Amino acid sequence: MKTVLVLNGPNLNLLGTREPAVYGSATLADVEAMCVEACARHDFALDFRQSNHEGQLVDWLHEAGRAQAAGTLAGAVFNAGAYTHTSVALHDAIKGTGLTLIELHISNVHAREAFRHHSYLSPAAKAVMAGFGVAGYPLAIAGLAQMQG
Ligand code: CA2
């Protein structure tokens, strides 16, 4: 059974505590439970992580790239939070590992402030989803299942 890595970046540990109009009322623990269910449905194991630190996220992407190359990882779903709009390091990490990665945003970033319209991750991602709320996580896992040869 292959694993799916679901990676969450800065401030996503605050999910469900503030800004419910933008991000909804589900907590990150609720999102993890939704991902457990989605992975079970598609015969995946789940590895669910969050960090507020860019270097930690880079290290986890490298680890994921090695796992995918070894055949134990199906791919990754990545909500990089605000690092989406700032991080060349995360772009390089995704490119450098050749990881099958779905960039995910809970909100429709294109309907928000102009600074959220550009993503450093999108050119390195296999697919991009935004605006489905937290329901995007299980949808992205279903998308990864679809991509498996
Ligand atoms: O829509 C998304 O998923 C984002 O990746 C969320 C990021 C934001 O910077 C991106 O532009 C879009 C912010 C994550 C912080 O989430 C919070 C949730 C509740 C309270 C405070 C922050």
Side-chain angles (χ1 to χ4, degrees), residues 62-85:
H62 292 178
E63 186 187 326
R66 290 191 296 271
Q68 187 175 294
T72 59
L73 188 85
V77 176
F78 190 18
N79 185 348
Y83 286 146
T84 303
H85 318 298

Side-chain angles (χ1 to χ4, degrees), residues 10-12 14-19 22-23 79-85 104-109 112 115-116 137:
N11 297 310
L12 283 155
L14 299 176
L15 209 59
T17 65
R18 272 188 227 152
E19 300 198 65
V22 182
Y23 300 116
N79 185 348
Y83 286 146
T84 303
H85 318 298
L104 179 142
H105 301 287
I106 297 167
S107 63
N108 177 1
V109 284
R112 300 181 64 195
F115 67 82
R116 297 186 202 275
Y137 285 82

